[in-house]
Amino acid sequence: MKKKLQMILLGVCIASISIFALSACSIFGDADNDGDDIVDKKPGEIKYELLLDDTYKVTGFSGDPIGELTIPSTHNGKSVTVIGERSFSGWSGWVNITIPDSVTTIENYAFSRCSELTNVTIGSGVKTIGYGAFENCTGLANIVLPNGLERIGSEAFYGCSKLTNITLPDSLTSIGDKVFGGKTEYGKKYAIDLDIRPLPEEAFLSAKEKG
């Protein structure tokens, strides 16, 4: 009788230990699996193309956009002068972007549809902002246009609904259609310095209102 009781108790102990061990394995195993599912984001890298004038043009980006993007003024010892067409278009993840003084041209749609972008610092060397360069950057709230800027292409800030204050520099000689269009009241809420020179009415119109 005693032997039977001892065997039963031994069996219960073994079963309990087994259940505990399996539970522990399950818990730690899940923790390991969770760790495997986490992907560490890395800053990535900017892509370049060497131009005929021996300067570099930014052509794209690979990797994970994280928080801030500072475009370098040089690459391989040569100046970076152009932000190429659609180089960063459609990327989300950057909140702040800094463009260096070495850049003279921001091409068409270069930063379009960067929905999380809030602040842009444009270097003093930029002369041209292309067509739709910041189109539909719906979170863009702060941007300072540098003295020396000469041309802003059509729809450059089209759909930037949070951009409520922007000053146009004295150097500006050309501004395209619907630059500030595409938002409620079609740009009438923008605080624009209009003392510089008359602007085309179309600068504030959406495609719908322009008809």
Side-chain angles (χ1 to χ4, degrees):
M1 182 68 179
K2 286 184 178 180
K3 286 186 177 181
K4 282 188 178 181
L5 183 58
Q6 288 175 347
M7 291 296 292
I8 292 171
L9 291 173
L10 181 61
V12 170
C13 289
I14 293 173
S16 299
I17 292 170
S18 299
I19 291 170
F20 176 79
L22 288 172
S23 298
C25 289
S26 177
I27 291 169
F28 290 110
D30 288 343
D32 291 340
N33 288 337
D34 288 342
D36 291 340
D37 291 339
I38 296 173
V39 177
D40 291 332
K41 289 190 173 182
K42 297 180 180 180
E45 62 179 16
I46 297 172
K47 299 178 181 180
Y48 300 90
E49 174 189 336
L50 185 62
L51 302 176
L52 293 176
D53 64 358
D54 210 30
T55 66
Y56 276 100
K57 171 181 179 177
V58 173
T59 59
F61 181 85
S62 63
D64 298 305
I66 305 172
E68 298 189 8
L69 172 66
T70 299
I71 297 170
S73 59
T74 61
H75 178 66
N76 290 340
K78 304 179 189 297
S79 294
V80 175
T81 58
V82 180
I83 309 298
E85 185 168 333
R86 301 183 188 276
S87 293
F88 303 100
S89 179
W91 286 94
S92 62
W94 291 306
V95 176
N96 305 304
I97 289 179
T98 301
I99 299 168
D101 294 342
S102 62
V103 170
T104 59
T105 303
I106 301 173
E107 291 189 346
N108 300 344
Y109 301 107
F111 298 98
S112 65
R113 297 183 294 108
C114 291
S115 59
E116 296 180 27
L117 181 60
T118 302
N119 305 294
V120 176
T121 300
I122 298 181
S124 60
V126 172
K127 304 293 183 185
T128 301
I129 296 177
Y131 189 107
F134 295 92
E135 173 223 21
N136 285 323
C137 289
T138 53
L140 183 60
N142 301 294
I143 187 169
V144 177
L145 302 179
N147 289 321
L149 179 65
E150 297 174 356
R151 293 174 295 278
I152 302 178
S154 296
E155 302 186 22
F157 300 100
Y158 187 95
C160 296
S161 56
K162 292 186 179 178
L163 187 61
T164 57
N165 193 336
I166 186 168
T167 299
L168 304 178
D170 293 333
S171 55
L172 193 65
T173 59
S174 174
I175 185 168
D177 294 346
K178 298 178 286 178
V179 170
F180 305 105
K183 69 164 291 184
T184 304
E185 298 188 20
Y186 307 115
K188 293 177 184 176
K189 290 183 179 179
Y190 286 104
I192 304 291
D193 182 356
L194 297 179
D195 295 331
I196 297 173
R197 59 176 51 80
L199 296 175
E201 183 180 359
E202 291 83 356
F204 300 93
L205 299 182
S206 73
K208 177 181 178 182
E209 191 171 66
K210 188 176 179 182

